[in-house]
Amino acid sequence: ALRAASRRQRAILDNSDDGLWVQDLDGHISAVNVAFARMVGREVRSIIGLPSAALMWSDVSEALGHQVQEALRAGQPVTREYR
């Protein structure tokens, strides 16, 4: 079941035109898609393991950080749109 979930997650990341990332409870990025890497101007492999706050604007980082942590603890996704 875990492998199937991992494959589904990877398929979603790989097939989305939107920038997506996955982070752990400590706020470190565990997966990103190419669209997200383009958005932040980095290679995918250079993003994995970074704290998500390191890739966001400081005013967004703090507010989103609290929202993300609460959602992760509750097992819920967080959706934000940036333009």
Side-chain angles (χ1 to χ4, degrees):
L2 185 56
R3 284 187 183 150
S6 180
R7 282 193 303 270
R8 278 192 306 276
Q9 179 187 70
R10 189 75 250 164
I12 291 167
L13 289 171
D14 290 345
N15 291 294
S16 178
D17 292 330
D18 296 323
L20 303 173
W21 82 92
V22 177
Q23 70 182 50
D24 63 21
L25 287 173
D26 294 322
H28 292 92
I29 297 173
S30 59
V32 299
N33 66 355
V34 173
F36 182 81
R38 275 195 304 263
M39 287 171 51
V40 298
R42 299 184 73 153
E43 294 289 323
V44 168
R45 67 181 177 274
S46 73
I47 299 171
I48 305 303
L50 291 177
S52 60
L55 299 174
M56 295 180 202
W57 306 275
S58 60
D59 59 330
V60 171
S61 178
E62 186 174 342
L64 182 57
H66 294 295
Q67 182 185 4
V68 167
Q69 290 303 315
E70 289 303 314
L72 287 170
R73 284 187 184 88
Q76 300 296 316
V78 174
T79 302
R80 297 285 275 199
E81 186 172 328
Y82 299 98
R83 295 179 188 253

